[in-house]
Amino acid sequence: MSNFIVKKVAVLGAGVMGAQIAAHCINARVPVVLFDLPAKEGPKNGIVLRAIENLKKLSPAPLGNKEQAALIEVANYEDDMALLEGCDLIIEAIAERMDWKHDLYKKVAPHIAPNAIFASNTSGLSISKLAEGFDAELQARFCGVHFFNPPRYMHLVELIPTAATRPAILDQLEGFLASTLGKGVVRAIDTPNFIANRVGIFGMLATIHQAEKFGLSVDVVDDLTGARLGRAKSGTFRTADVVGLDTMGHVIKTMQDNLADDPFFPVYQTPALVSKLIAAGALGQKTGAGFYKRVGKDILRIDSAKGDYVAAGGKTDELVGRILKEKDLAKRMKALRESTHPQAQFLWAIFRDGFHYMAVHLESIADNARDIDLALRWGFGWNAGPFETWQAAGWKQIAEWVKDDIDSGKALCAAPLPAWVFDGRDGVHTAEGSWSPTKKTYVGRSNLPVYARQAFRATVMGEGAADGRTAGTTFFEDASVRIWHQHDDVLILSLKTKMHVIDPGVGNGLAMAIAEAQANFKGLVIWNADAAEGGPFSAGADLQSSMPLFMAGGGKAVEPEIAKLQNAHQALKYANVPVVAAVAGLALGGGAELAMHAARRVVFLESYIGLVEVGVGLIPAGGGLKEAAVRAAGDAKGNDLLQFLRNYFTHAATAAVSKSALEARQMGYLTASDVIVYNAYELLHVAKVEARAMFDAGYRPPMPALVPVAGRYGMATITAQLVNMRDGGFISAHDYKLGAMIAEVMCGGDIDQGSLVSEQWLLDLERKFFVELLDNPKTQERIMGMMQTGKPVRN
C-alpha cells in the first residue's frame, strides 16, 4: 500500500473560482497558497488579499468558518515562485484564455516539484493543447480538474486526462478529490466543455430555442423546467443568471469554435437575446440584471419582444401541472407528447432533444452512460440524469417516438439515433454496469480503494445496487425506524419518519436499539439512508403527534411524552456501548439534542445544527439546555462560568443555526473529539470506524456527576440584558419570557451561584417551562403559524 497525501496545494489565480477552490481546501484542513499577479499599487499581494477578504462576503459562503480565511497563504508570481516547490498539487484557475495559460505555465513549470500533480481548472479548453510545450515528465503529471461553481457546495468534479497523463496520477487525484475534498468524480474525455457543460449548455440552448418556438416567457419556462422536473429550483433562465451570461457565452463560443462537424452545430449559436443582454452589460445576478432584474422588492423578467423588463410571475398551466404530477413516467411522457397544449409540447420537445443529443454524443464525450447521468445530477442539480429518465419512461417506446420526430423533421437535427439504441435493449444501466458504445459492453463502477469508504455509493436507476433502506439484516422495522446491521459488529438505527422527526416510535426505537447494541454489538450508529442525498438528520420533535394529547388535556397531558424523550436521550448518553450520531443536513431542535447526547458525532461538512424551539414559542426540552449547562461547566474549568454560558444561551435564545459543521463546532454543538467528514457518502463508514475504535479502546459511558451552575446571579445578569432589549423594542415580551426561561434552566434556577445540581434537576426545569409554554396563547399562535405557513411568527 502506498499513500498519496496532499500536504499542500497551490492555486494559481485568485479570481472567483480560484479563491473559492482555495477556501474549500481550507475547509478540508488542507494548507493552501493562493497566487496571483503582483498588484500595481499598494501591497504586492493586494490582488490575493482582496480576493480573500471577498470570500468572507460571498453568499453562499465559500468558507465553513469565515475566521479561517486567514489560513490561506498569499503569494504572487514575481516573489514567491519558490513556494510551489513545497506543493503536492497545483491547480491553475486563471481566465479561459489558452495564450494566458501557456504564458503562466512557462513561468511555473521550472518550480513544480518532481512528484507534484499539475492540473487546470478549465471549464472547457482542450487539456491536450494546454499541455503542449511541457516536457514528457510534466505531461505525465498534467490533467484537467474541473470544479463546478460554487466549489464548496457543488458535488461534481470532472477529471480529464490527456493521452500522456500517467494513470496512477489520475487514481491518486481522484482519491484526494473524493475523500479529502468530498467530491463526486467523473472522468471525462478531452472534448470541448467535457461532459456536464457540454450537455447542460446544449440543454439550455435547446430550451431557449423551443421556448421561442412555443411562445413561452422566461418565467413560465423556469417554472416548467425547475422543481417540477426534479431539477434545480432555479429552472433554466434563472440558473443562467446565477452562472453569468458572460460565462454562458464563453462556453457557447467554445462549442462554436471547436464543433463545426457536430450535427447539432446550428444549435450552438448564441441566442440573439443573450447577445443583446451581454452587450448591455446585463450579465445576470452579479450585475443585478440578466434574464431577470430586481427592482425594490419586485422581480421583473425580460420580455424578448419588447426588449424591456416586465412583471414576472408566469406559471405552469394547471392542465400541464396535473400531467407532471403523474408518478408513472411512461404515462407522463405519453401525455406530454400527445397533448396539444404549448407548454406540454415544449416539455416533450426538450426531453426529445436531450435524449437525441445524448444518444448521438455518448460515444464521443464519455466512457459510459453512467458518467453522463452522474455529471448532470451532481453538476446541475438534477434528481435523475437524461439516460435514467429515458430508461424509466420505457426505453423502446421513447426511442421510437424520438425516431419518428427525427424522420418527420420535428427534431433539432436530422442525425439518426445510433444503431445500439435499437438492439433490443431496455436501457443503458444494468446490474453489470452502464453501456459504453466505444467498448461495446457494460462498464462497472470504479474499484479504487477510496470507494471502499462509501457503503452505499451514488447509484443510477436500473443498476440494482445495494440501498441503505433495504440492505443488510433487519433486526426491527416499523413506520418510524429501522434497526439493522451489515453483518458486522456495529448496529445501525435509521429514522424513517418525514424529515426524520422524533415521534414516540423513534423514542421506542432508540430504547430497543440501545438494548440490542449493548447485548450483541460493539456500538450503535444513528444514520439515515438519505444522508448523502440531502436528507436531514432530524428536523426535531414531532409536535403534531402530541396534538391529540394536548387537545384532550392541555400541556400537562403532554408532559409524560416530554419525560420519555428526555429519558431516551439520557439512555443514549449513558449507554454501555458507544453511540455515534452520523449527522448530515438539518439537525434542529430535538434533532440537535439527539446528536448532543451521543457519545460522539461524525458530521458532514454541510450540516446545519441548532436549538430552534423559540421559533414556535417553546424552549428546548429534550436535554439540549441541560447539555449546554454541562458543556459550559466543562469549558469553564472552575473559571467564571457565566462567561462560558453566554455563548450557549445566545444561540438557544436566538434560534441560531450553524451554517456548517465547522461553525457548529464553534457554537458548541460539536466537541473537539467529534469528526467532520467532507463526503456524505463516507458518513456511515467513518461513524462505524469511530464506534468500533471507541469500544476496542475500552469505552465506558460518562459517570453521572453534579453540575456547577451560575444560579440566581447568572439569571439576573442575563435577564437584565433581556430587559434592555425588550424595552428598546428589539425583542417582544414573549421573546423576553422565552429568554428568561432559557436563562433559568441553564443557570440552574433560583439557587446560589456555584451550587451543584444533578442533570435531572436541569431536565425537570426544562420540562416544567415547556409544559407551561404549551398552555400560553402566544406560544400557541407561533405553533399554529409555523404549521400553517412554515414560517416563524413574531408576537
Side-chain angles (χ1 to χ4, degrees), residues 57 59-60 66 100 277 395 446 463 471 513 533 537 592 662 716 724 744 746 762 791:
K57 303 171 187 174
S59 180
K66 291 181 182 180
W100 290 359
L277 290 169
W395 182 269
S446 168
E463 191 176 41
E533 300 159 17
F537 176 71
L662 295 169
N724 291 336
E744 186 163 347
M746 284 189 174
L762 297 171
K791 297 178 181 178

Side-chain angles (χ1 to χ4, degrees), residues 629 709-711 715 743-751 757 761-762 765:
V709 293
M715 288 167 50
E744 186 163 347
V745 174
M746 284 189 174
C747 294
D750 187 14
I751 56 179
V757 301
W761 173 276
L762 297 171
L765 285 173

Side-chain angles (χ1 to χ4, degrees), residues 88 113 118 141 291 318 420 477 603 656 705:
D88 308 289
F118 187 27
R141 293 183 280 121
F291 288 113
E318 187 178 341
W420 59 261
E477 185 170 13
V603 188

Side-chain angles (χ1 to χ4, degrees), residues 336-416:
L336 290 174
R337 187 171 188 269
E338 294 178 353
S339 174
T340 58
H341 195 290
Q343 291 183 11
Q345 292 177 326
F346 159 79
L347 286 171
W348 163 250
I350 64 171
F351 275 118
R352 176 203 64 218
D353 296 340
F355 298 150
H356 187 190
Y357 192 80
M358 288 302 89
V360 169
H361 288 294
L362 171 57
E363 184 171 359
S364 64
I365 68 173
D367 176 66
N368 61 77
R370 177 181 54 249
D371 288 347
I372 288 181
D373 280 344
L374 291 179
L376 269 292
R377 280 163 46 179
W378 293 342
F380 280 82
W382 294 15
N383 288 349
F387 282 119
E388 291 179 285
T389 302
W390 183 349
Q391 184 165 330
W395 182 269
K396 292 173 182 175
Q397 180 61 79
I398 293 291
E400 289 298 332
W401 285 341
V402 174
K403 181 180 183 299
D404 288 347
D405 280 8
I406 295 169
D407 293 345
S408 61
K410 294 178 182 178
L412 288 178
C413 86

Side-chain angles (χ1 to χ4, degrees), residues 202-226 228-229 231 235-237 315-317 320 323-324 332-333 335-355 405 410 412:
F202 166 79
M204 283 187 171
L205 291 171
T207 298
I208 292 170
H209 174 88
Q210 300 295 357
E212 290 175 356
K213 178 180 176 180
F214 291 103
L216 304 182
S217 61
V218 299
D219 47 354
V220 170
V221 169
D222 280 350
D223 192 52
L224 284 165
T225 60
R228 293 177 188 273
L229 296 189
R231 299 180 183 178
T236 301
F237 292 101
K315 295 289 183 183
T316 300
D317 185 85
V320 179
I323 294 174
L324 293 176
R332 192 190 315 165
M333 284 292 181
L336 290 174
R337 187 171 188 269
E338 294 178 353
S339 174
T340 58
H341 195 290
Q343 291 183 11
Q345 292 177 326
F346 159 79
L347 286 171
W348 163 250
I350 64 171
F351 275 118
R352 176 203 64 218
D353 296 340
F355 298 150
D405 280 8
K410 294 178 182 178
L412 288 178

Side-chain angles (χ1 to χ4, degrees), residues 551-566:
M551 297 302 291
K556 206 68 182 169
V558 179
E559 186 170 9
E561 296 304 312
I562 305 304
K564 286 181 184 177
L565 178 66
Q566 292 179 338

Side-chain angles (χ1 to χ4, degrees), residues 737-771:
K737 183 179 187 68
L738 294 168
M741 286 179 168
I742 290 171
E744 186 163 347
V745 174
M746 284 189 174
C747 294
D750 187 14
I751 56 179
D752 291 340
Q753 180 183 7
S755 295
L756 297 174
V757 301
S758 67
E759 289 186 29
Q760 190 59 51
W761 173 276
L762 297 171
L763 289 170
D764 290 345
L765 285 173
E766 280 188 5
R767 193 173 65 257
K768 168 191 166 188
F769 289 134
F770 187 91
V771 169

